[in-house]
Amino acid sequence: MGRNWYLLWSGSAISALGDGIFLAALPLLAATLTQDPKLIAGVSFFGSLPWLLASLPAGTAADRYDSRRLLLAALWIQCALMAVLAAFHSAHIAFLYGMAFLIGTAENVPRAVGQPLIKATVENHLLERANGRLFASQAVALQFVGPPLGGLLFAIAVPAPFWVNALTFATAALLVTRMRTSRQPRPAKPKVVEGLRWLMKHKALRTVTVVSATTNLCIAMTMATLVLFAQQRLGLTNAGFGAFLATLACGGVAGGLLAERMLARYRHTVAVTVVLIPLMWLGIATLARDLPTVAVFAVVSSFCTAVWGVATAALRQRAVPTNLLGRVSSAQTLITWGVQPVGALLGGLVADHFGLLAPWFVAVGLRTAVGVVSLKPLRDHFTGAALNVHLAASPEQDAAVTLPEESR
């Protein structure tokens, strides 16, 4: 892993810090404007709606244009949007919806170009290590450092977290500017639907996508009113809410750093993560009444999520041809992240009618059902005979893709 990788890694970590600050500050800002669960859930809805609308166009752009330049443009746009939000933070909640939508739209580009850039800057046999480090650093910045800092800055001055967030995006852009990547041959007019069609024909990635989409739907349900859950059930202050979000990072950091070793050593690692995640959510719903108890379940859940992410990211990067990686990754994003606005709406409605614990119970039931159905296919793909075979890249085009070690 050379200079380009470390610049990309550093820029990603710094922008993730800004995202973590934003993660805590945005719902706190919404809570100053209204205490209605449906209206607060609307912030999550409009923030996640662009994953449904802009994912495929972003992936097409990533396969057609220079990934580094696209990333730079997105970072500077996010910087400008954060500055606008900081300047007009006291506006109506409808303004907050609009800003959440624009910021979410801009976020599609870094996610789309990230996969091609990682593949271009990291040798194939080091993908697990690179993805593990990336997950760990993002967990530290996005969940451990960012949210408490966002809550603290919000307590000091309402616009402060958004100004700091703008600064993180500017710093990340300056780091990416120093990257030097070679130009890759790209299709003149890549078709938007090709990535989605390829994904649907690849059995392993299709199964992974279904499980990830269900997980994200359930997380969106619980996150939509999480600030009210923290304030009313756990009795947390604004700064305490940031600390609450930070507990999620502890397991994510450990999972990212240990994933490479665990996936190589233990055959059923991926299947175990599928089982444990909804069990941890059930613990939060039934037993958690204070921050320490929540932390225990959240750490295990985030650890499993990080290991799952490392395994599935490496599978995707190896399986997908380079000239399709942007579109296939974005097709996955369309499905796995596009369900979030639905989850946010459901979370707000369920919490409003049945209480703040109800979204957690619904999430546990749904995620458990999908996990049970997907468990056998996942074991087949990540263990046993799948370890020594080559996956077909698509029915029309074979790509020699060996799943390394025991649990890829």
Side-chain angles (χ1 to χ4, degrees):
M1 293 186 285
R3 179 176 180 272
N4 283 329
W5 156 250
Y6 285 106
L7 287 171
L8 179 64
W9 183 23
S10 301
S12 174
I14 292 172
S15 63
L17 175 63
D19 290 337
I21 293 172
F22 187 66
L23 183 66
L26 187 64
L28 288 173
L29 179 58
T32 65
L33 301 176
T34 179
Q35 287 289 298
D36 188 328
K38 296 190 298 297
L39 294 179
I40 290 180
V43 176
S44 296
F45 171 77
F46 283 102
S48 56
L49 185 60
W51 298 112
L52 186 61
L53 302 179
S55 295
L56 292 183
T60 303
D63 283 338
R64 182 173 184 180
Y65 302 108
D66 182 80
S67 296
R68 188 183 69 89
R69 292 185 178 182
L70 284 175
L71 180 57
L72 277 174
L75 289 171
W76 285 119
I77 290 172
Q78 288 175 290
C79 175
L81 289 172
M82 287 298 172
V84 171
L85 182 57
F88 299 98
H89 63 274
S90 59
H92 193 271
I93 195 168
F95 171 77
L96 202 59
Y97 291 167
M99 292 305 299
F101 179 82
L102 292 175
I103 292 168
T105 301
E107 286 177 355
N108 274 271
V109 174
R111 180 165 292 274
V113 302
Q115 297 296 310
L117 281 174
I118 291 173
K119 194 167 184 177
T121 57
V122 178
E123 295 178 13
N124 196 54
H125 68 282
L126 295 175
L127 285 173
E128 279 79 18
R129 184 175 303 173
N131 284 306
R133 290 181 179 181
L134 190 63
F135 271 84
S137 62
Q138 287 183 339
V140 171
L142 180 62
Q143 297 176 326
F144 190 71
V145 179
L149 181 58
L152 178 62
L153 290 171
F154 190 89
I156 295 172
V158 173
F162 306 108
W163 286 119
V164 173
N165 201 351
L167 180 61
T168 64
F169 284 121
T171 304
L174 292 176
L175 287 170
V176 173
T177 302
R178 300 179 61 190
M179 292 178 61
R180 296 293 179 266
T181 56
S182 59
R183 292 182 178 274
Q184 300 293 327
R186 298 176 184 273
K189 292 183 179 180
K191 296 180 180 179
V192 176
V193 298
E194 283 182 347
L196 186 60
R197 186 184 300 121
W198 196 98
L199 175 63
M200 290 298 99
K201 292 179 180 179
H202 195 289
K203 186 177 180 180
L205 290 179
R206 187 172 67 242
T207 303
V208 163
T209 301
V210 171
V211 176
S212 295
T214 306
T215 303
N216 285 344
L217 174 71
C218 295
I219 290 175
M221 289 179 59
T222 58
M223 289 293 291
T225 56
L226 190 65
V227 64
L228 299 181
F229 177 87
Q231 292 174 345
Q232 297 178 21
R233 182 172 173 84
L234 305 180
L236 299 180
T237 62
N238 290 345
F241 178 64
F244 173 40
L245 295 179
T247 61
L248 299 174
C250 298
V253 174
L257 294 176
L258 297 176
E260 181 186 14
R261 185 178 303 173
M262 291 185 63
L263 291 167
R265 183 173 297 180
Y266 303 110
R267 294 167 58 89
H268 300 291
T269 297
V270 172
V272 170
T273 66
V274 174
V275 173
L276 283 181
I277 288 174
L279 288 178
M280 296 305 102
W281 295 349
L282 181 61
I284 292 175
T286 57
L287 301 176
R289 294 184 178 275
D290 52 56
L291 185 56
T293 307
V294 168
V296 173
F297 295 109
V299 164
V300 177
S301 175
S302 59
F303 181 92
C304 293
T305 301
V307 173
W308 166 270
V310 171
T312 56
L315 171 64
R316 178 176 58 249
Q317 289 157 359
R318 286 193 176 95
V320 182
T322 301
N323 66 335
L324 277 169
L325 188 54
R327 280 168 288 171
V328 173
S329 298
S330 292
Q332 272 196 307
T333 300
L334 170 68
I335 299 169
T336 60
W337 290 72
V339 297
Q340 287 192 95
V342 178
L345 283 179
L346 288 175
L349 292 173
V350 170
D352 185 54
H353 286 84
F354 303 105
L356 293 176
L357 290 180
W360 290 92
F361 288 112
V362 174
V364 168
L366 180 59
R367 177 58 175 72
T368 300
V370 172
V372 168
V373 173
S374 303
L375 204 54
K376 186 181 184 301
L378 287 172
R379 284 202 304 264
D380 293 340
H381 296 318
F382 286 95
T383 62
L387 302 176
N388 301 313
V389 301
H390 296 278
L391 293 174
S394 72
E396 295 83 9
Q397 174 185 1
D398 292 335
V401 183
T402 305
L403 296 179
E405 303 301 338
E406 286 192 302
S407 52
R408 301 289 185 261

